[in-house]
Amino acid sequence: MSEETGEPDETDDAAQIRALITKWADAVHRGDLDGVVADHAEDLVMYDVPPPHHGIHGLAAYRAAWPPFFAWQAQGACFDIETLDVTAGPDVAWAHALLRCATPEELSEHPTLRLRLTFGLRKENGRWLVAHEHHSFPHD
């Protein structure tokens, strides 16, 4: 909190967003669907690695996209944040991260392969919500 205004400062917001994304990644790793969709806006848009490549629109579609990933991940895949950078303004923010997201065999074959994530967030009623999410792998 800023001592001058009593309002949250950027570092408070960045810390809140960092905690939100870390909590989200932990929920993904555990296969906790309710934890994954928490803190996401109803009108969320996500661009993901698998189809549909035109994006997933809305919280219901976002929720429906996760069970196939959880089934794949149950084969022993990791989902670990390596880097996370956050830029927060008073009511919008963005973050980008690199994650280890692969099975042990995939990591053995491609040890430097990382999933790239970008988040767009907005603050509603004092609470940060993910409004945009983009997942991608580099294409060589």
Side-chain angles (χ1 to χ4, degrees):
M1 291 284 211
S2 168
E3 290 180 21
E4 295 171 5
T5 65
E7 296 293 318
D9 60 27
E10 285 186 88
T11 56
D12 287 340
D13 286 326
Q16 289 173 20
I17 292 165
R18 182 175 295 282
L20 181 152
I21 292 170
T22 301
K23 184 175 75 171
W24 169 85
D26 290 344
V28 170
H29 181 71
R30 290 189 319 273
D32 172 9
L33 186 55
D34 288 337
V36 170
V37 300
D39 301 314
H40 282 70
E42 286 290 332
D43 62 347
L44 165 81
V45 174
M46 177 179 73
Y47 296 106
D48 202 0
V49 174
H53 297 300
H54 64 276
I56 291 170
H57 300 264
L59 199 55
Y62 180 77
R63 177 181 282 277
W66 282 101
F69 179 84
F70 294 152
W72 170 82
Q73 186 177 238
Q75 302 171 37
C78 60
F79 195 82
D80 305 318
I81 294 176
E82 285 194 346
T83 66
L84 174 58
D85 294 297
V86 177
T87 302
D91 56 5
V92 294
W94 65 281
H96 57 89
L98 292 175
L99 282 83
R100 291 177 60 235
C101 177
T103 64
E105 297 80 18
E106 290 167 333
L107 283 174
S108 176
E109 190 173 324
H110 304 285
T112 62
L113 183 64
R114 298 298 179 262
L115 177 67
R116 303 172 297 192
L117 296 176
T118 304
F119 299 89
L121 302 98
R122 66 177 180 251
K123 191 182 278 187
E124 291 184 4
N125 300 316
R127 178 178 170 220
W128 286 105
L129 297 174
V130 176
H132 178 81
E133 203 173 298
H134 188 130
H135 310 180
S136 67
F137 280 105
H139 181 69
D140 293 332

